[in-house]
Amino acid sequence: MVSFLKEAEELFEEYKDYIPTHREICEILDKEFLTKEDLAKLLNVSSKEDIMLMAKKAQKLTRENFGRVILLYAPLYIANYCQNSCVYCGFSCRKKYKREKLSFEEIENELRKMKEEGIDSVIILTGEDRINSSVEYIEKACRIATDFMSEVSIEVYPLYEEEYKRLSSIGVVGITMYQETYQREDYDKLHPFGPKKDFEFRLNAPERALKAGFHEVCVGPLLGLSHPKKDVLCAILHAEYLLDKFPKAEISISFPRFRSAGTDFIPSYTVSDKEFIKFLIIARLYLPRVGIVVSTRERPSLRDALIDVCITKMSAGSKTTVGGYAEEKDEDAEAQFEVEDRRSVSEVVDVIIKKGLRPEFTNWVKGVKSI
């Protein structure tokens, strides 16, 4: 599994100072399939004109492989108890504030409210705490969610294969697992203590889920925690590894940028809009069949522009507090991270339709087949 990390490291070192010419970029874009060397070269493109050229090819590939469907989803935070000491996270156990855990009745109320707002695809989230957010608790929450939503996924702590099988058996189809950073040394510093300190157990979680019967996986880093180009390269090769090993699965990739989370953490790197857009475009060029996700961490105008080019899935009407749908909460004080796009589901849907695209809340394959 970790062989792709070694390969990414070698590629990065070989091409980190390589600047491709405009002619070389055009030659790369003329190819049907890019090589790993092409991928490493494109990460160093800086010309706006060349990035626009790359965007045009990315848009073509997106339409060929995904049609005009944009899959929408929303997160549901059911608990924020956490045993991890992540220095950058709003749920970190080092941060002192009121911890919450929804009752099953409250979870039903949240799901009912989400459904009223038009949401039909949900990701269930918790912090990493096997006592306060046990697998049994998560399983019951997911079972309730399947009664309300057409698609239920999870973004919880890494589980064992048998635990993923339990969730798969009740209808959970997908897992999102951000590695945060693929650079081990930085990962170790960012996670001083707690179960999350186990780098490889987290890294291998998507594979365990797919072996257990899950159909969808989303992976990626949190940009800003370590060297962005290295993390993007690793994430793309991670997605490729999963796609090659599980060809029938739907693999997605996401590059969320660090946002303030009520801590004093200052990221080592900042990722400009230009770099962020380039990373997403390159992911599409190298992996034409992989889904690309953008969250409400990004501002509305940028999200709206990206769905024209390479995005296939986006969150809408998101609340990042526990119990944030049925009850008004202080998003700035209690959220896991800062939300930039606070538009309602209907507002996001309107934008998608006006662009001539089709908003969909169920699996994108169903949407494409019905066009």
Short mmCIF file of all heavy atoms in Angstrom, two decimals, residues 77-115:
data_model
loop_
_atom_site.label_atom_id
_atom_site.label_comp_id
_atom_site.label_asym_id
_atom_site.label_seq_id
_atom_site.Cartn_x
_atom_site.Cartn_y
_atom_site.Cartn_z
N TYR A 77 -23.10 16.28 11.63
CA TYR A 77 -22.24 16.02 12.78
C TYR A 77 -23.12 15.55 13.94
O TYR A 77 -23.99 16.29 14.39
CB TYR A 77 -21.49 17.29 13.18
CG TYR A 77 -20.39 17.68 12.22
CD1 TYR A 77 -20.67 18.32 11.02
CD2 TYR A 77 -19.06 17.39 12.52
CE1 TYR A 77 -19.66 18.66 10.14
CE2 TYR A 77 -18.03 17.75 11.65
CZ TYR A 77 -18.34 18.38 10.46
OH TYR A 77 -17.33 18.71 9.59
N ILE A 78 -22.86 14.32 14.40
CA ILE A 78 -23.69 13.78 15.48
C ILE A 78 -22.98 13.80 16.83
O ILE A 78 -23.62 13.62 17.86
CB ILE A 78 -24.17 12.35 15.14
CG1 ILE A 78 -22.99 11.40 14.97
CG2 ILE A 78 -25.05 12.37 13.89
CD1 ILE A 78 -23.42 9.93 14.81
N ALA A 79 -21.66 14.01 16.84
CA ALA A 79 -20.91 14.10 18.10
C ALA A 79 -19.57 14.76 17.86
O ALA A 79 -18.99 14.63 16.78
CB ALA A 79 -20.70 12.70 18.70
N ASN A 80 -19.09 15.51 18.86
CA ASN A 80 -17.79 16.17 18.72
C ASN A 80 -16.79 15.77 19.82
O ASN A 80 -15.80 16.45 20.03
CB ASN A 80 -17.94 17.69 18.64
CG ASN A 80 -18.61 18.28 19.87
OD1 ASN A 80 -18.79 17.61 20.89
ND2 ASN A 80 -19.00 19.55 19.78
N TYR A 81 -17.09 14.68 20.52
CA TYR A 81 -16.10 14.16 21.46
C TYR A 81 -14.91 13.62 20.68
O TYR A 81 -15.08 12.99 19.63
CB TYR A 81 -16.70 13.01 22.29
CG TYR A 81 -17.69 13.47 23.33
CD1 TYR A 81 -19.05 13.56 23.03
CD2 TYR A 81 -17.27 13.81 24.61
CE1 TYR A 81 -19.97 13.98 23.98
CE2 TYR A 81 -18.18 14.22 25.58
CZ TYR A 81 -19.53 14.31 25.25
OH TYR A 81 -20.43 14.72 26.20
N CYS A 82 -13.70 13.89 21.18
CA CYS A 82 -12.52 13.42 20.45
C CYS A 82 -11.36 13.18 21.41
O CYS A 82 -11.12 13.97 22.34
CB CYS A 82 -12.11 14.43 19.38
SG CYS A 82 -10.96 13.74 18.17
N GLN A 83 -10.62 12.11 21.16
CA GLN A 83 -9.46 11.77 21.98
C GLN A 83 -8.15 12.19 21.32
O GLN A 83 -7.08 11.95 21.87
CB GLN A 83 -9.44 10.25 22.22
CG GLN A 83 -10.63 9.75 23.01
CD GLN A 83 -10.67 8.23 23.11
OE1 GLN A 83 -10.05 7.54 22.31
NE2 GLN A 83 -11.38 7.73 24.10
N ASN A 84 -8.25 12.81 20.17
CA ASN A 84 -7.04 13.22 19.43
C ASN A 84 -6.61 14.63 19.80
O ASN A 84 -7.43 15.47 20.18
CB ASN A 84 -7.28 13.13 17.93
CG ASN A 84 -7.40 11.69 17.46
OD1 ASN A 84 -6.65 10.83 17.90
ND2 ASN A 84 -8.36 11.44 16.58
N SER A 85 -5.33 14.88 19.61
CA SER A 85 -4.75 16.18 19.98
C SER A 85 -4.34 17.00 18.76
O SER A 85 -3.43 17.81 18.84
CB SER A 85 -3.52 15.95 20.85
OG SER A 85 -2.57 15.15 20.13
N CYS A 86 -4.99 16.77 17.62
CA CYS A 86 -4.64 17.48 16.38
C CYS A 86 -4.53 18.98 16.67
O CYS A 86 -5.48 19.59 17.17
CB CYS A 86 -5.70 17.24 15.32
SG CYS A 86 -6.21 15.50 15.17
N VAL A 87 -3.39 19.55 16.34
CA VAL A 87 -3.13 20.94 16.72
C VAL A 87 -3.94 21.95 15.91
O VAL A 87 -4.03 23.12 16.28
CB VAL A 87 -1.63 21.27 16.60
CG1 VAL A 87 -0.81 20.38 17.51
CG2 VAL A 87 -1.15 21.14 15.15
N TYR A 88 -4.56 21.50 14.82
CA TYR A 88 -5.22 22.40 13.88
C TYR A 88 -6.76 22.30 13.92
O TYR A 88 -7.44 23.08 13.26
CB TYR A 88 -4.76 22.07 12.45
CG TYR A 88 -4.92 20.61 12.12
CD1 TYR A 88 -6.12 20.12 11.61
CD2 TYR A 88 -3.90 19.70 12.36
CE1 TYR A 88 -6.29 18.77 11.34
CE2 TYR A 88 -4.05 18.35 12.09
CZ TYR A 88 -5.24 17.89 11.58
OH TYR A 88 -5.40 16.55 11.33
N CYS A 89 -7.30 21.34 14.66
CA CYS A 89 -8.72 20.99 14.53
C CYS A 89 -9.58 21.57 15.64
O CYS A 89 -9.19 21.58 16.81
CB CYS A 89 -8.86 19.47 14.50
SG CYS A 89 -10.57 18.91 14.30
N GLY A 90 -10.78 21.98 15.26
CA GLY A 90 -11.73 22.53 16.22
C GLY A 90 -12.30 21.51 17.18
O GLY A 90 -12.87 21.86 18.21
N PHE A 91 -12.17 20.21 16.86
CA PHE A 91 -12.66 19.15 17.74
C PHE A 91 -11.58 18.60 18.65
O PHE A 91 -11.84 17.70 19.46
CB PHE A 91 -13.24 18.00 16.91
CG PHE A 91 -14.61 18.25 16.35
CD1 PHE A 91 -15.26 19.46 16.54
CD2 PHE A 91 -15.27 17.27 15.61
CE1 PHE A 91 -16.52 19.69 16.01
CE2 PHE A 91 -16.53 17.49 15.08
CZ PHE A 91 -17.16 18.70 15.27
N SER A 92 -10.35 19.09 18.54
CA SER A 92 -9.22 18.56 19.30
C SER A 92 -9.54 18.49 20.80
O SER A 92 -10.15 19.41 21.36
CB SER A 92 -7.98 19.42 19.08
OG SER A 92 -6.94 19.05 19.95
N CYS A 93 -9.07 17.42 21.45
CA CYS A 93 -9.31 17.28 22.89
C CYS A 93 -8.56 18.34 23.69
O CYS A 93 -8.84 18.55 24.87
CB CYS A 93 -8.91 15.88 23.36
SG CYS A 93 -7.15 15.51 23.21
N ARG A 94 -7.61 19.03 23.06
CA ARG A 94 -6.88 20.10 23.74
C ARG A 94 -7.71 21.38 23.82
O ARG A 94 -7.39 22.28 24.59
CB ARG A 94 -5.58 20.39 22.97
CG ARG A 94 -4.59 19.24 23.06
CD ARG A 94 -3.63 19.18 21.87
NE ARG A 94 -2.91 20.41 21.64
CZ ARG A 94 -1.59 20.50 21.47
NH1 ARG A 94 -0.84 19.42 21.56
NH2 ARG A 94 -1.01 21.63 21.21
N LYS A 95 -8.76 21.44 23.01
CA LYS A 95 -9.62 22.62 23.01
C LYS A 95 -10.74 22.43 24.03
O LYS A 95 -11.46 21.43 23.99
CB LYS A 95 -10.20 22.83 21.61
CG LYS A 95 -10.98 24.13 21.45
CD LYS A 95 -11.47 24.30 20.02
CE LYS A 95 -12.31 25.56 19.89
NZ LYS A 95 -12.87 25.70 18.54
N LYS A 96 -10.87 23.38 24.94
CA LYS A 96 -11.84 23.26 26.02
C LYS A 96 -13.15 23.96 25.66
O LYS A 96 -13.20 25.18 25.56
CB LYS A 96 -11.27 23.85 27.32
CG LYS A 96 -9.93 23.26 27.73
CD LYS A 96 -9.99 21.73 27.89
CE LYS A 96 -8.65 21.15 28.28
NZ LYS A 96 -8.67 19.66 28.28
N TYR A 97 -14.17 23.19 25.43
CA TYR A 97 -15.51 23.73 25.21
C TYR A 97 -16.52 22.60 25.41
O TYR A 97 -16.15 21.43 25.57
CB TYR A 97 -15.65 24.35 23.81
CG TYR A 97 -15.63 23.38 22.66
CD1 TYR A 97 -16.81 23.00 22.02
CD2 TYR A 97 -14.44 22.83 22.20
CE1 TYR A 97 -16.79 22.12 20.96
CE2 TYR A 97 -14.41 21.95 21.14
CZ TYR A 97 -15.59 21.60 20.52
OH TYR A 97 -15.58 20.71 19.47
N LYS A 98 -17.77 22.94 25.41
CA LYS A 98 -18.83 21.97 25.67
C LYS A 98 -18.88 20.91 24.57
O LYS A 98 -19.01 21.24 23.39
CB LYS A 98 -20.18 22.68 25.76
CG LYS A 98 -21.35 21.73 26.02
CD LYS A 98 -22.67 22.50 25.94
CE LYS A 98 -23.84 21.54 26.09
NZ LYS A 98 -25.14 22.23 25.93
N ARG A 99 -18.76 19.66 24.97
CA ARG A 99 -18.87 18.55 24.02
C ARG A 99 -20.32 18.09 23.93
O ARG A 99 -21.05 18.11 24.93
CB ARG A 99 -17.97 17.39 24.44
CG ARG A 99 -16.50 17.77 24.56
CD ARG A 99 -15.86 18.01 23.19
NE ARG A 99 -14.54 18.60 23.31
CZ ARG A 99 -13.64 18.60 22.32
NH1 ARG A 99 -13.93 18.06 21.16
NH2 ARG A 99 -12.47 19.19 22.49
N GLU A 100 -20.71 17.66 22.74
CA GLU A 100 -22.10 17.26 22.52
C GLU A 100 -22.18 15.93 21.78
O GLU A 100 -21.29 15.57 21.01
CB GLU A 100 -22.83 18.33 21.70
CG GLU A 100 -22.96 19.67 22.40
CD GLU A 100 -23.70 20.66 21.53
OE1 GLU A 100 -24.95 20.68 21.59
OE2 GLU A 100 -23.05 21.39 20.77
N LYS A 101 -23.28 15.26 22.02
CA LYS A 101 -23.58 14.01 21.32
C LYS A 101 -25.09 13.92 21.17
O LYS A 101 -25.83 14.01 22.16
CB LYS A 101 -23.04 12.83 22.13
CG LYS A 101 -23.44 11.46 21.62
CD LYS A 101 -22.91 10.39 22.57
CE LYS A 101 -23.39 9.00 22.19
NZ LYS A 101 -22.89 7.97 23.12
N LEU A 102 -25.55 13.79 19.95
CA LEU A 102 -26.98 13.76 19.71
C LEU A 102 -27.60 12.44 20.17
O LEU A 102 -27.01 11.37 20.00
CB LEU A 102 -27.27 13.95 18.22
CG LEU A 102 -26.85 15.28 17.57
CD1 LEU A 102 -27.25 15.29 16.10
CD2 LEU A 102 -27.45 16.47 18.30
N SER A 103 -28.78 12.53 20.73
CA SER A 103 -29.57 11.33 21.02
C SER A 103 -30.13 10.82 19.69
O SER A 103 -30.12 11.53 18.67
CB SER A 103 -30.71 11.65 21.98
OG SER A 103 -31.67 12.49 21.33
N PHE A 104 -30.64 9.61 19.68
CA PHE A 104 -31.19 9.07 18.44
C PHE A 104 -32.43 9.85 18.01
O PHE A 104 -32.68 10.02 16.82
CB PHE A 104 -31.49 7.58 18.60
CG PHE A 104 -30.24 6.76 18.84
CD1 PHE A 104 -30.16 5.92 19.94
CD2 PHE A 104 -29.17 6.84 17.98
CE1 PHE A 104 -29.01 5.17 20.17
CE2 PHE A 104 -28.02 6.10 18.20
CZ PHE A 104 -27.93 5.26 19.30
N GLU A 105 -33.17 10.35 18.97
CA GLU A 105 -34.32 11.19 18.64
C GLU A 105 -33.86 12.49 18.00
O GLU A 105 -34.46 12.97 17.02
CB GLU A 105 -35.14 11.48 19.91
CG GLU A 105 -36.38 12.32 19.64
CD GLU A 105 -37.19 12.62 20.90
OE1 GLU A 105 -36.82 12.10 21.98
OE2 GLU A 105 -38.16 13.38 20.81
N GLU A 106 -32.79 13.07 18.52
CA GLU A 106 -32.24 14.31 17.94
C GLU A 106 -31.69 14.06 16.54
O GLU A 106 -31.81 14.92 15.66
CB GLU A 106 -31.16 14.87 18.85
CG GLU A 106 -31.70 15.47 20.15
CD GLU A 106 -30.59 15.85 21.12
OE1 GLU A 106 -29.56 15.14 21.17
OE2 GLU A 106 -30.77 16.85 21.84
N ILE A 107 -31.09 12.91 16.34
CA ILE A 107 -30.59 12.56 15.00
C ILE A 107 -31.75 12.50 14.01
O ILE A 107 -31.66 13.01 12.89
CB ILE A 107 -29.83 11.22 15.04
CG1 ILE A 107 -28.51 11.40 15.80
CG2 ILE A 107 -29.57 10.70 13.63
CD1 ILE A 107 -27.76 10.12 16.06
N GLU A 108 -32.85 11.90 14.42
CA GLU A 108 -34.04 11.87 13.56
C GLU A 108 -34.52 13.27 13.24
O GLU A 108 -34.89 13.56 12.09
CB GLU A 108 -35.16 11.08 14.25
CG GLU A 108 -35.00 9.59 14.20
CD GLU A 108 -36.29 8.87 14.57
OE1 GLU A 108 -37.39 9.42 14.29
OE2 GLU A 108 -36.21 7.77 15.12
N ASN A 109 -34.54 14.15 14.24
CA ASN A 109 -34.98 15.54 14.01
C ASN A 109 -34.07 16.25 13.02
O ASN A 109 -34.53 17.01 12.17
CB ASN A 109 -35.02 16.30 15.34
CG ASN A 109 -36.12 15.82 16.26
OD1 ASN A 109 -37.11 15.24 15.82
ND2 ASN A 109 -35.96 16.04 17.56
N GLU A 110 -32.76 16.01 13.17
CA GLU A 110 -31.80 16.62 12.24
C GLU A 110 -32.05 16.13 10.81
O GLU A 110 -32.09 16.93 9.86
CB GLU A 110 -30.37 16.26 12.65
CG GLU A 110 -29.89 16.92 13.92
CD GLU A 110 -29.69 18.41 13.75
OE1 GLU A 110 -28.87 18.83 12.91
OE2 GLU A 110 -30.37 19.17 14.45
N LEU A 111 -32.21 14.85 10.66
CA LEU A 111 -32.42 14.27 9.33
C LEU A 111 -33.74 14.74 8.72
O LEU A 111 -33.82 15.01 7.52
CB LEU A 111 -32.40 12.74 9.43
CG LEU A 111 -31.03 12.13 9.71
CD1 LEU A 111 -31.17 10.70 10.21
CD2 LEU A 111 -30.15 12.18 8.46
N ARG A 112 -34.75 14.86 9.56
CA ARG A 112 -36.04 15.34 9.08
C ARG A 112 -35.92 16.78 8.58
O ARG A 112 -36.45 17.13 7.51
CB ARG A 112 -37.07 15.25 10.21
CG ARG A 112 -38.50 15.45 9.75
CD ARG A 112 -39.49 15.15 10.86
NE ARG A 112 -39.57 13.72 11.15
CZ ARG A 112 -39.10 13.14 12.25
NH1 ARG A 112 -38.51 13.88 13.19
NH2 ARG A 112 -39.22 11.84 12.44
N LYS A 113 -35.18 17.61 9.32
CA LYS A 113 -34.97 19.00 8.92
C LYS A 113 -34.15 19.08 7.63
O LYS A 113 -34.45 19.87 6.73
CB LYS A 113 -34.26 19.76 10.05
CG LYS A 113 -34.00 21.24 9.75
CD LYS A 113 -35.28 22.02 9.58
CE LYS A 113 -35.00 23.50 9.39
NZ LYS A 113 -36.23 24.29 9.16
N MET A 114 -33.12 18.25 7.53
CA MET A 114 -32.31 18.22 6.32
C MET A 114 -33.15 17.82 5.11
O MET A 114 -33.02 18.40 4.02
CB MET A 114 -31.14 17.24 6.49
CG MET A 114 -30.13 17.66 7.56
SD MET A 114 -28.89 16.38 7.92
CE MET A 114 -27.81 16.56 6.50
N LYS A 115 -34.00 16.83 5.31
CA LYS A 115 -34.87 16.37 4.22
C LYS A 115 -35.81 17.49 3.77
O LYS A 115 -36.05 17.67 2.57
CB LYS A 115 -35.68 15.17 4.72
CG LYS A 115 -36.39 14.39 3.63
CD LYS A 115 -35.43 13.51 2.87
CE LYS A 115 -36.17 12.60 1.91
NZ LYS A 115 -35.25 11.71 1.17
#
